[in-house]
Amino acid sequence: MSEELVPETKESPQPPGPKPREGWKKGGRMLSVLLSVNVLLLACTLISSGAFNKVAVYDTDVFALLTAMMLLTTIWILFYLFRTSRCSDAVPYLDSHAGPIWLQGGLVLFGVCTLVMDVFKTGYYSSFYECQSAIKILHPIIQAIFVIIQTYFLWVSAKDCIHTHLDLTRCGLMFTLTTNLANWMAAVVDESIHQAHSYSDNSSHARLTSNGERSSSMAIEACPCNTTFCQIFERGYFYLYPFNIEYSLFASTMVYVMWKNVGRLIGPSHDHGHGHIPSPASLFRETLFIGPVLGLLIFVVGLGVFIIYEVQVSGDKSGIDQALILYYSFNIACLGLMTLVSLGGSIIYRFDQRTMDHHKNPTRTVDVALLMGAALGQYAISYYSIVAVVVGTPRDLLGGLNLSYSLLMIAQHTFQNIFIIESLHRGPPANQENPPNEPVHGLTYANQDALQTLPAYPSTSRLVGSTPPTPQETVTVISVSQSNWRRRCLKDISLFLLLSNAILWIMPAFGARPHFNNNTELDFYGYSLWAAIVNICLPFGIFYRMHAVSSLLEVYVLS
Amino acid sequence: MSEELVPETKESPQPPGPKPREGWKKGGRMLSVLLSVNVLLLACTLISSGAFNKVAVYDTDVFALLTAMMLLTTIWILFYLFRTSRCSDAVPYLDSHAGPIWLQGGLVLFGVCTLVMDVFKTGYYSSFYECQSAIKILHPIIQAIFVIIQTYFLWVSAKDCIHTHLDLTRCGLMFTLTTNLANWMAAVVDESIHQAHSYSDNSSHARLTSNGERSSSMAIEACPCNTTFCQIFERGYFYLYPFNIEYSLFASTMVYVMWKNVGRLIGPSHDHGHGHIPSPASLFRETLFIGPVLGLLIFVVGLGVFIIYEVQVSGDKSGIDQALILYYSFNIACLGLMTLVSLGGSIIYRFDQRTMDHHKNPTRTVDVALLMGAALGQYAISYYSIVAVVVGTPRDLLGGLNLSYSLLMIAQHTFQNIFIIESLHRGPPANQENPPNEPVHGLTYANQDALQTLPAYPSTSRLVGSTPPTPQETVTVISVSQSNWRRRCLKDISLFLLLSNAILWIMPAFGARPHFNNNTELDFYGYSLWAAIVNICLPFGIFYRMHAVSSLLEVYVLS
């Protein structure tokens, strides 16, 4: 009874620090999630219905919805920027982990590509504007404005922990997230239809294309795209779709972290361990040089393989098999090496006695969730490939290579995730201002004879510089030397994995699609199903590589 | 540096209580989730490939995988039961919130129905065993064994917080979860194919069925099911599919909570607020009686409407429109009333000064996530209906009713979720051993004149029985009287919503499918797409109703 009547005295289970201004955080979050879910489901319904030709939802309906959503989001962003610029105490804290430089840079890069795509799209639809509805020309223009304003917004505000108009901000951010996800869905669907269209024109597999897709292309044929400009525009915007898809994923991630940070209180002790960047001079000082050298070798060889593959695939049909064998062989070697190295890293951790970091860290939680979630994309593609190769009838060299490639892909993602996540949860790194080498060597020479009296397995040890050395401290010496060796190994491992992930990002991001050059899965699943699987899952796989690179950089710094 | 060398002294950020036996909980969880994700993706690949007839994956492959998974799970469960029965300190704590009685009861009920289904299935496939592969008869038998052992396991172990072999237990539980989800997917796919088959036989809409599904039914025709027994078996197991689907969802929920509880430490102060069950005698003492009476009325009318609907739909075609109008009208009235009442409850909370409960409570978090997640099923169906009605051409009375029904369904789910989640997060209820009524009345009469001197808005108040009454305490009197009135209202609201949710659960759970009697969506999306949407989403909608009933019971107790 008394608890009900004395509301002011029961606020104890709050985090220490400034008093929060809202009573119930979850309530505000729930409202914004409900808004987002409803809008997203509506968009999903329209987009998925629009993709089926026998359903009477047209792409103009979808474009109209997306345009309206982007306009609303743009207005909200402008309102947000205006408000925070006027009210100085709206953003009392900045989350130093949010919006890291690789995410900001990627956003700008993909944003610029999306702008170019919008220019091409506007040009394409303007080529025959007399028989198109106005919304098709309006949509890319509005999208361009939206991309410019959103990129600016995320550039300046990604680290904000805003503390005014909490519920309104949450709803606005969730709506922004929803708009980006809807854009992503629309781009994936659009690209799949477009690909199916060009595939049924060019390939002998036209029989596999369903009637729906073919009649979709018929609708476009009513207004022919005959001029040279029009064809350049069409080809251009088709190639730029993947960048638009990545842009939406990047923006979604950043907006989600902003949403998590609304109303967050950050204490002064928050920053330990993560986010500190070493000076460029010390970047390679503490490695064994094997990791970076091997990684650079893989990177350069990979670039060569990629260029040869692209040249052979875009040439005549005869070179495709050879190109695929080259591509798969390189990937199998690279993935196998990465798996072994990740496994080695995990084994080193078994001997590492650093404590785990149990502190709460929302950005790290999001990071881990993204690593695990984005890996699902590549997992799904690999499992579908494995089933196709194992169940399908023709068992040749290419099938075997494809199978090994898919199996190694799963193993590599799994072991790399285990290694990265374990690394991110290790305790804070050693103090770099006092490099351990000098005192260690000194102590070792001073105590050469005491080494005989060591206990079998030292579990605890301490560094005390002022007192005379005892057998206990000699233990420290060996332990430090071992841990130093382990640290170098871990730094090498993270650099090697970083460079390998970079080349594995470049290949699919810049257009390598062995999935569609290799006929095993195409024949097994039919074109439309396989294209849907690859087009939905591959962007996540590409995103995974970028994210892994950034996480491995953090692992390198932390080790 | 020193932190790296002194691992034993840095274990501070642990919860108070007994020292945990594992260093890094997230690591064990990550491993088990990785295992589960991989197995689930493999199962998903096979099941989805098996559903497409042009893909060369046969249902025997799927059955073989499921049988192997169920066998492995059964062995693990037996091992778990054997181990915990031998080792007395394996389960030091029980989570009193886990495995509530409604979930246990539902599990047993649906488990029994699944067993009956397995008997029918075995009988059906045995009728023509000479031209079937053995796995098709083996599968239901293994499934029956699996269901019996798993139901017993969840009955005795659902509340366990196990503390031995943590990683092994986590992996085992995740594998059990994966098996249940794979069974769920297989059942949903199987039911959809079966429905499409019977639909193309019976209905004039056969043109909408895709060729894939029809050729699936051809394969079955090769071995004709001519005997009476065989046909009874076939019809019987078809009707029992929904119960199997619900069984898998129930088991998944319970296994997930067990997984979250592995290695959990429960302090003595954990139980406050939630999970206490009132005596049956006091169950209706504190209500205004309007809620339960109105709820019972809705329940009885709903039952009548449901019976009339089922009779008319199973009769000749002429009665279907009338039955649909009756069904929609009742649902619109019921959903409208529920929306208003939920909204009323949320408004009452705006005047309620009870504090929010900020304590961590994993079971409540899972409850809230399930409420929000399960509502997605009904949301999706409603949005697809809305698009079909709004974009589709024939606008008649039925279309209008369908539109209102779908819109109200979305509103009702949203407002009910807001009300339930806010209720679950309110602070602990008033002490029921000291009912506030008696002292309140006494104080009110003793201080009649002091009422004039009240401050305008009393924000804090206290009940002190021993000292003579002061103006401050008279404030208390009014505040208590108001809060008492509010409590009665909230109890009425929760009882009304509980009974309404119960009738809305009964209708779809026992076979009402207006989605397939109403031609709007069928004509708009085509049979196969619409059947896939409804068959995937409706089980979540049914699960939502059951879950809402249990949550509303908790709200009633807490208010």
Side-chain angles (χ1 to χ4, degrees):
Chain A
M1 193 69 224
S2 64
E3 280 177 346
E4 195 179 54
L5 294 169
V6 193
E8 307 298 271
T9 58
K10 279 286 289 185
E11 292 284 346
S12 57
Q14 290 293 334
K19 203 169 151 55
R21 299 184 201 184
E22 61 177 337
W24 189 41
K25 200 176 204 171
K26 275 188 191 169
R29 287 194 172 171
M30 181 181 67
L31 277 181
S32 59
V33 169
L34 275 173
L35 170 78
S36 154
V37 159
N38 278 288
V39 177
L40 194 64
L41 275 173
L42 179 64
C44 176
T45 310
L46 273 180
I47 292 170
S48 64
S49 305
F52 290 92
N53 258 80
K54 57 186 173 195
V55 178
V57 175
Y58 303 106
D59 49 358
T60 47
D61 300 339
V62 178
F63 282 143
L65 178 78
L66 290 178
T67 309
M69 285 174 76
M70 286 190 290
L71 269 181
L72 271 176
T73 308
T74 309
I75 292 168
W76 179 79
I77 289 177
L78 291 176
F79 169 70
Y80 176 94
L81 291 173
F82 174 72
R83 207 180 52 202
T84 48
S85 71
R86 272 195 39 176
C87 175
S88 60
D89 63 342
V91 185
Y93 309 97
L94 291 179
D95 178 2
S96 58
H97 305 144
I101 190 69
W102 68 275
L103 212 56
Q104 303 254 26
L107 189 81
V108 172
L109 174 72
F110 295 133
V112 169
C113 295
T114 306
L115 286 181
V116 177
M117 186 193 84
D118 284 329
V119 170
F120 282 5
K121 238 176 165 174
T122 315
Y124 171 69
Y125 284 122
S126 307
S127 309
F128 39 94
Y129 68 94
E130 60 276 3
C131 60
Q132 287 280 359
S133 82
I135 195 77
K136 287 201 175 177
I137 302 172
L138 201 64
H139 173 254
I141 296 173
I142 298 286
Q143 194 178 34
I145 298 171
F146 167 72
V147 165
I148 292 170
I149 291 178
Q150 179 174 259
T151 309
Y152 173 74
F153 162 65
L154 289 175
W155 186 267
V156 298
S157 308
K159 294 179 192 299
D160 289 5
C161 299
I162 196 161
H163 276 249
T164 50
H165 302 287
L166 295 171
D167 287 341
L168 183 68
T169 309
R170 284 207 185 93
C171 288
L173 284 172
M174 261 293 151
F175 192 77
T176 312
L177 179 64
T178 309
T179 307
N180 279 299
L181 289 179
N183 271 333
W184 167 73
M185 278 194 290
V188 166
V189 166
D190 226 16
E191 195 197 6
S192 301
I193 291 175
H194 204 131
Q195 251 183 7
H197 167 45
S198 60
Y199 183 81
S200 67
D201 283 356
N202 299 335
S203 153
S204 60
H205 289 268
R207 61 186 164 83
L208 293 172
T209 317
S210 78
N211 292 327
E213 282 142 10
R214 203 175 294 149
S215 71
S216 155
S217 65
M218 300 290 180
I220 296 170
E221 301 309 325
C223 273
C225 179
N226 292 328
T227 62
T228 323
F229 268 123
C230 175
Q231 279 169 354
I232 290 174
F233 284 145
E234 187 180 14
R235 192 158 299 186
Y237 95 75
F238 176 52
Y239 277 119
L240 288 167
Y241 258 122
F243 296 102
N244 183 19
I245 291 172
E246 290 293 326
Y247 176 81
S248 303
L249 284 179
F250 270 61
S252 303
T253 315
M254 294 174 78
V255 171
Y256 177 75
V257 172
M258 278 188 77
W259 178 78
K260 290 283 274 189
N261 277 335
V262 171
R264 188 170 158 214
L265 303 164
I266 297 181
S269 69
H270 177 73
D271 270 345
H272 88 100
H274 292 263
H276 90 256
I277 291 164
S279 65
S282 72
L283 202 64
F284 291 95
R285 213 181 51 191
E286 292 176 341
T287 63
L288 300 172
F289 285 103
I290 304 170
V293 170
L294 201 60
L296 269 180
L297 191 73
I298 291 247
F299 191 89
V300 173
V301 173
L303 266 187
V305 168
F306 174 60
I307 292 166
I308 296 172
Y309 171 82
E310 283 291 293
V311 169
Q312 289 205 315
V313 161
S314 55
D316 57 347
K317 302 265 172 197
S318 62
I320 288 186
D321 271 10
Q322 217 179 330
L324 279 173
I325 290 173
L326 182 69
Y327 183 89
Y328 282 133
S329 306
F330 168 75
N331 271 280
I332 288 171
C334 179
L335 291 171
L337 212 55
M338 288 167 78
T339 310
L340 288 179
V341 167
S342 306
L343 203 57
S346 295
I347 290 171
I348 289 179
Y349 277 131
R350 294 285 81 71
F351 297 101
D352 193 10
Q353 287 159 47
R354 272 196 288 163
T355 54
M356 302 309 290
D357 177 14
H358 292 277
H359 289 276
K360 227 177 172 174
N361 183 338
T363 314
R364 182 173 64 194
T365 309
V366 174
D367 272 0
V368 170
L370 282 177
L371 273 179
M372 300 279 274
L376 286 181
Q378 192 60 56
Y379 275 149
I381 295 179
S382 295
Y383 277 111
Y384 275 98
S385 284
I386 291 172
V387 167
V389 174
V390 171
V391 179
T393 35
R395 303 219 170 128
D396 50 358
L397 174 65
L398 260 183
L401 285 175
N402 194 355
L403 184 65
S404 323
Y405 169 72
S406 302
L407 285 173
L408 274 173
M409 195 62 110
I410 293 171
Q412 191 265 327
H413 276 78
T414 306
F415 287 111
Q416 179 168 294
N417 270 351
I418 292 175
F419 172 71
I420 294 178
I421 294 172
E422 184 160 11
S423 306
L424 292 181
H425 281 87
R426 288 277 147 179
N431 193 352
Q432 295 200 326
E433 279 77 59
N434 272 328
N437 306 32
E438 289 76 354
V440 166
H441 284 294
L443 281 172
T444 311
Y445 286 112
N447 270 286
Q448 202 68 280
D449 50 349
L451 274 169
Q452 323 301 327
T453 62
L454 287 181
Y457 185 74
S459 67
T460 61
S461 47
R462 241 162 18 96
L463 251 187
V464 185
S466 57
T467 54
T470 63
Q472 181 65 24
E473 281 168 18
T474 324
V475 174
T476 312
V477 171
I478 291 171
S479 167
V480 166
S481 155
Q482 278 181 352
S483 99
N484 195 32
W485 178 82
R486 275 200 298 268
R487 277 179 56 199
R488 284 182 172 227
C489 266
L490 289 174
K491 278 188 189 292
D492 264 42
I493 288 173
S494 48
L495 275 183
F496 170 73
L497 288 177
L498 192 151
L499 288 164
S500 310
N501 274 291
I503 184 67
L504 291 183
W505 171 72
I506 287 175
M507 288 185 173
F510 289 91
R513 291 283 181 282
H515 321 85
F516 294 110
N517 296 321
N518 183 354
N519 286 332
T520 319
E521 294 100 339
L522 276 178
D523 290 343
F524 192 78
Y525 294 109
Y527 183 79
S528 41
L529 181 59
W530 182 236
I533 295 168
V534 172
N535 283 333
I536 291 173
C537 297
L538 199 62
F540 287 104
I542 296 173
F543 182 81
Y544 174 84
R545 293 291 172 200
M546 294 208 68
H547 196 136
V549 165
S550 88
S551 299
L552 284 164
L553 192 65
E554 196 167 344
V555 171
Y556 174 78
V557 173
L558 281 179
S559 295
Chain B
M1 194 67 226
S2 64
E3 280 176 347
E4 195 178 55
L5 294 169
V6 194
E8 308 296 276
T9 58
K10 277 287 288 184
E11 292 285 346
S12 58
Q14 289 293 333
K19 202 172 151 57
R21 298 186 203 183
E22 60 177 339
W24 189 40
K25 199 175 204 172
K26 275 188 191 168
R29 289 194 171 171
M30 181 183 66
L31 278 181
S32 58
V33 168
L34 275 172
L35 170 79
S36 154
V37 160
N38 278 288
V39 178
L40 194 64
L41 275 173
L42 180 63
C44 176
T45 310
L46 273 181
I47 292 170
S48 64
S49 305
F52 289 91
N53 258 80
K54 56 186 174 195
V55 179
V57 174
Y58 302 106
D59 49 359
T60 48
D61 301 338
V62 179
F63 281 143
L65 177 78
L66 290 178
T67 309
M69 286 174 75
M70 286 191 289
L71 269 180
L72 271 176
T73 308
T74 309
I75 291 168
W76 179 79
I77 288 177
L78 290 176
F79 168 70
Y80 176 93
L81 290 173
F82 173 74
R83 207 180 51 201
T84 48
S85 71
R86 273 195 39 174
C87 176
S88 60
D89 62 343
V91 185
Y93 309 98
L94 292 179
D95 178 1
S96 58
H97 306 143
I101 188 68
W102 67 275
L103 212 55
Q104 303 255 25
L107 189 80
V108 172
L109 174 72
F110 294 131
V112 169
C113 295
T114 306
L115 287 181
V116 177
M117 187 194 84
D118 284 328
V119 170
F120 282 5
K121 238 176 164 173
T122 315
Y124 170 69
Y125 283 123
S126 307
S127 308
F128 41 94
Y129 68 95
E130 62 275 4
C131 60
Q132 286 282 356
S133 82
I135 194 78
K136 286 201 176 178
I137 302 171
L138 200 64
H139 173 254
I141 295 173
I142 299 287
Q143 193 179 34
I145 297 170
F146 167 73
V147 165
I148 291 171
I149 291 178
Q150 179 175 259
T151 309
Y152 172 74
F153 163 66
L154 289 176
W155 185 268
V156 299
S157 309
K159 294 178 190 301
D160 289 6
C161 299
I162 196 160
H163 275 250
T164 50
H165 302 287
L166 295 170
D167 288 342
L168 182 68
T169 309
R170 284 208 185 92
C171 288
L173 284 171
M174 261 293 152
F175 192 76
T176 312
L177 179 65
T178 309
T179 308
N180 279 299
L181 289 178
N183 271 332
W184 168 72
M185 278 194 290
V188 166
V189 167
D190 226 17
E191 196 197 4
S192 301
I193 291 176
H194 204 130
Q195 250 183 9
H197 168 44
S198 60
Y199 183 82
S200 67
D201 284 355
N202 299 334
S203 151
S204 60
H205 289 269
R207 63 189 164 78
L208 293 171
T209 318
S210 80
N211 292 327
E213 280 141 11
R214 206 177 290 150
S215 70
S216 153
S217 66
M218 299 290 179
I220 295 170
E221 302 309 326
C223 273
C225 178
N226 291 328
T227 62
T228 324
F229 268 121
C230 175
Q231 280 170 353
I232 290 173
F233 284 144
E234 186 179 15
R235 192 158 302 185
Y237 95 75
F238 175 51
Y239 277 121
L240 289 166
Y241 257 122
F243 296 102
N244 183 19
I245 292 171
E246 291 294 325
Y247 176 82
S248 303
L249 285 179
F250 270 62
S252 303
T253 314
M254 292 173 79
V255 170
Y256 177 74
V257 171
M258 278 188 78
W259 177 78
K260 288 283 274 188
N261 277 334
V262 171
R264 189 171 158 214
L265 304 163
I266 296 181
S269 69
H270 177 72
D271 271 344
H272 88 100
H274 290 264
H276 90 256
I277 290 163
S279 65
S282 73
L283 201 64
F284 290 96
R285 213 180 53 192
E286 291 175 341
T287 63
L288 301 171
F289 285 104
I290 303 170
V293 168
L294 201 59
L296 270 179
L297 190 73
I298 292 249
F299 191 89
V300 172
V301 172
L303 267 188
V305 168
F306 174 58
I307 292 166
I308 296 172
Y309 172 81
E310 282 291 292
V311 169
Q312 289 205 315
V313 162
S314 56
D316 56 346
K317 302 263 172 199
S318 63
I320 287 185
D321 271 11
Q322 217 180 331
L324 278 173
I325 291 174
L326 183 68
Y327 183 89
Y328 281 134
S329 305
F330 168 74
N331 272 280
I332 288 171
C334 179
L335 290 171
L337 213 54
M338 288 166 79
T339 309
L340 288 179
V341 167
S342 306
L343 203 58
S346 295
I347 292 171
I348 289 179
Y349 278 129
R350 294 284 81 72
F351 297 101
D352 193 9
Q353 286 159 46
R354 273 196 288 162
T355 53
M356 302 309 290
D357 178 14
H358 292 279
H359 290 277
K360 226 178 175 177
N361 183 338
T363 314
R364 182 173 64 193
T365 309
V366 174
D367 272 0
V368 169
L370 282 177
L371 273 179
M372 301 278 276
L376 286 181
Q378 191 61 57
Y379 275 148
I381 295 179
S382 295
Y383 276 110
Y384 276 97
S385 284
I386 290 171
V387 168
V389 173
V390 170
V391 179
T393 35
R395 303 220 169 129
D396 51 359
L397 175 64
L398 261 182
L401 285 174
N402 194 354
L403 184 65
S404 323
Y405 169 73
S406 303
L407 286 172
L408 274 173
M409 195 63 110
I410 294 171
Q412 192 266 327
H413 275 79
T414 306
F415 287 111
Q416 179 167 292
N417 270 351
I418 292 176
F419 172 70
I420 294 179
I421 294 172
E422 185 161 11
S423 304
L424 292 180
H425 281 87
R426 287 278 147 179
N431 193 353
Q432 294 201 328
E433 279 78 57
N434 272 328
N437 306 32
E438 289 79 352
V440 166
H441 284 294
L443 282 171
T444 311
Y445 287 112
N447 270 285
Q448 204 66 282
D449 49 351
L451 276 169
Q452 322 302 327
T453 62
L454 289 180
Y457 185 72
S459 68
T460 60
S461 46
R462 243 165 11 100
L463 251 187
V464 185
S466 56
T467 53
T470 62
Q472 180 65 24
E473 280 167 20
T474 324
V475 173
T476 312
V477 171
I478 291 170
S479 166
V480 167
S481 155
Q482 278 180 351
S483 101
N484 194 33
W485 177 83
R486 275 200 298 266
R487 277 179 55 199
R488 286 183 170 224
C489 265
L490 289 173
K491 277 186 190 291
D492 263 43
I493 287 173
S494 49
L495 276 182
F496 170 74
L497 287 177
L498 192 152
L499 288 164
S500 311
N501 274 291
I503 185 66
L504 290 182
W505 172 71
I506 287 175
M507 288 186 171
F510 291 90
R513 291 284 180 283
H515 322 85
F516 294 109
N517 297 320
N518 184 353
N519 286 332
T520 318
E521 294 101 340
L522 278 178
D523 290 343
F524 192 77
Y525 294 110
Y527 183 79
S528 41
L529 180 60
W530 182 236
I533 296 168
V534 172
N535 284 331
I536 291 174
C537 297
L538 199 60
F540 287 105
I542 297 173
F543 181 83
Y544 173 83
R545 292 293 173 196
M546 294 209 67
H547 196 133
V549 165
S550 88
S551 299
L552 285 164
L553 193 65
E554 196 167 345
V555 170
Y556 174 77
V557 173
L558 282 178
S559 296

